[in-house]
Amino acid sequence: MSEKVTIYDIAEKLNITAATVSRALNNNPKIKEATRELVIKTAAAMNYKQNKLALALKSGRSNNIGVIVPRIDSNFFASVIRGIEEELYPHGYQVIICQTHESIKRENENLHTLVDAQVDGIMMSVTGISDENDSAFRNVLEKNVPLIFFDRSKHIDGVSSVTINDFKGGYLATKHLIDEGCRNIAHFSGDQSLDIFKNRFLGYKQALIDNGIEFNEKYVIYTKSAVDAGKEAVDKLLQLETPPDAIFSSSDFAALGAIQELKERNISIPSEFCVAGFSNEPFTKFMELSITSVDQSPLEMGRMSARVFLEQVDKTDTIKIEKKVVLAPELHIRKSSTRTNF
């Protein structure tokens, strides 16, 4: 059949009302099982396709979830998305993925687009802490759409979040470097307006203080999560009067850049210089000089974000209980920071 089949076509074929067909297709308990089976069988034979948008407008549920990430070409965010999908698919949900490319403007557009698409919920890792898109967040909440932050979060009343204990992760990595004999430990930090980078820095600083090592502001370099940024940061550090003997990087990519630059300068790792990163990207364990890194548990973060969403939509009232889930970090110690003799 070339023309689109409607419920009226099915009704005419079965000599029943269109209302009966609609109820049968939507599993209305008032419809007899035999009638429902006949309608479904006939609809399939006639290649009938339900109008999902119309169904969503009528029921208030689209069974679509929006996920907003800075970028998808990252193992961390790809794994979070996988965890979300694995948890939600058995419940009949599909995922719509949007990227911000670290742009507040695109993040704002993504939020409005997803709300207009009638999604049942939005999970996201924020681009930055800015007031520019507050109206977009308010629009989401006013539409009574559950909003869950993961990894990078923003403090908004009524919004749940799933993160890891970044402070502890920073502390564990720095304490490990101290235990390996390092005393002049530098830190590559991201934008500290974001809690994840601020807390990793605070964990680093506290580990120094707790172990009697003086904090040196000159050892803190603000970098992007990029290999070239790590190389440039090492160049700055090695020009200091007292260069560091270790780096704790808030990014595995910057840590990789640091290692490449140190190797080019014939500085031996880890005997002369130790390096630890953050995120536990796949390349960290497959390199010849494997990189010590803090695991962010992205798969579990995605699954937990989905569970928080399901808890909210399962509630019969309109009150959404705000949840702050904090996962425990795990330090994977590898060759880049393990000294056999010191």
Side-chain angles (χ1 to χ4, degrees):
M1 302 179 72
S2 57
E3 293 185 5
K4 188 174 181 180
V5 176
T6 69
I7 60 172
Y8 298 98
D9 297 318
I10 299 171
E12 183 179 353
K13 186 174 182 63
L14 296 177
N15 196 27
I16 58 178
T17 66
T20 299
V21 173
S22 177
R23 293 189 186 103
L25 291 173
N26 289 290
N27 296 318
N28 190 304
K30 294 181 179 179
I31 301 299
K32 293 179 180 178
E33 183 63 23
T35 302
R36 188 183 71 84
E37 290 179 1
L38 178 61
V39 169
I40 291 173
K41 184 178 179 180
T42 304
M46 296 176 71
N47 199 27
Y48 169 74
K49 305 281 187 215
Q50 279 187 303
N51 186 328
K52 291 188 176 180
L53 180 57
L55 191 62
L57 290 170
K58 183 179 179 181
S59 67
R61 298 282 289 272
S62 68
N63 285 94
N64 288 327
I65 302 299
V67 178
I68 304 175
V69 294
R71 60 190 187 280
I72 59 172
D73 60 342
S74 153
N75 177 73
F76 173 76
F77 289 118
S79 295
V80 172
I81 293 168
R82 176 187 163 190
I84 291 171
E85 284 192 314
E86 288 181 353
E87 195 70 27
L88 292 183
Y89 184 77
H91 295 272
Y93 289 99
Q94 300 293 331
V95 172
I96 300 173
I97 302 167
C98 300
Q99 299 181 86
T100 65
H101 297 286
E102 303 290 2
S103 164
I104 294 290
K105 180 176 180 291
R106 290 189 68 157
E107 181 177 85
N108 186 64
E109 291 170 349
N110 289 339
L111 287 165
H112 283 295
T113 298
L114 290 172
V115 170
D116 289 344
Q118 303 285 324
V119 294
D120 294 338
I122 297 174
M123 302 175 204
M124 66 182 295
S125 183
V126 302
T127 294
I129 304 303
S130 169
D131 296 333
E132 291 180 46
N133 55 2
D134 279 358
S135 62
F137 287 120
R138 283 197 300 272
N139 181 50
V140 173
L141 298 176
E142 286 169 2
K143 298 288 186 181
N144 205 31
V145 177
L147 179 62
I148 295 103
F149 293 139
F150 60 82
D151 185 42
R152 306 181 188 180
S153 63
K154 184 173 182 176
H155 299 292
I156 299 177
D157 289 341
V159 178
S160 297
S161 64
V162 181
T163 59
I164 72 158
N165 190 330
D166 288 288
F167 177 92
K168 186 176 180 181
Y171 191 100
L172 288 173
T174 307
K175 178 64 165 61
H176 162 68
L177 294 172
I178 294 170
D179 290 343
E180 291 296 317
C182 304
R183 290 298 176 268
N184 299 312
I185 303 170
H187 176 51
F188 292 172
S189 177
D191 179 3
Q192 290 193 21
S193 68
L194 290 167
D195 285 346
I196 61 170
F197 297 121
K198 180 180 180 181
N199 289 331
R200 289 171 197 178
F201 162 72
L202 292 175
Y204 151 80
K205 186 176 181 180
Q206 192 62 49
L208 296 177
I209 294 170
D210 289 351
N211 288 274
I213 298 174
E214 186 177 352
F215 169 69
N216 186 343
E217 287 186 2
K218 293 181 180 179
Y219 284 164
V220 179
I221 307 289
Y222 294 91
T223 66
K224 292 182 178 179
S225 179
V227 173
D228 288 344
K231 289 183 176 182
E232 293 171 6
V234 165
D235 183 61
K236 292 178 183 178
L237 289 171
L238 295 182
Q239 293 179 38
L240 294 174
E241 184 177 344
T242 304
D245 57 4
I247 294 169
F248 160 52
S249 172
S250 60
S251 156
D252 280 339
F253 290 98
L256 174 59
I259 288 173
Q260 290 179 352
E261 183 67 22
L262 290 166
K263 281 185 173 182
E264 288 178 11
R265 294 169 180 261
N266 295 315
I267 296 174
S268 178
I269 305 169
S271 59
E272 295 180 77
F273 208 110
C274 291
V275 179
F278 208 108
S279 194
N280 199 34
E281 293 283 344
F283 68 79
T284 58
K285 57 186 174 184
F286 294 126
M287 294 174 59
E288 182 179 353
L289 179 65
S290 56
I291 304 175
T292 293
S293 186
V294 178
D295 193 346
Q296 290 181 269
S297 303
L299 200 60
E300 179 60 22
M301 185 176 289
R303 289 172 176 158
M304 186 58 69
S305 299
R307 289 172 198 157
V308 170
F309 162 74
L310 290 171
E311 284 182 14
Q312 292 193 353
V313 295
D314 282 345
K315 293 188 177 299
T316 55
D317 54 36
T318 58
I319 300 173
K320 301 294 187 292
I321 299 176
E322 180 182 327
K323 294 192 72 172
K324 302 294 181 187
V325 180
V326 181
L327 304 175
E330 182 180 359
L331 179 66
H332 292 268
I333 298 172
R334 302 190 178 105
K335 292 179 181 179
S336 69
S337 65
T338 306
R339 290 174 169 173
T340 52
N341 296 297
F342 60 89

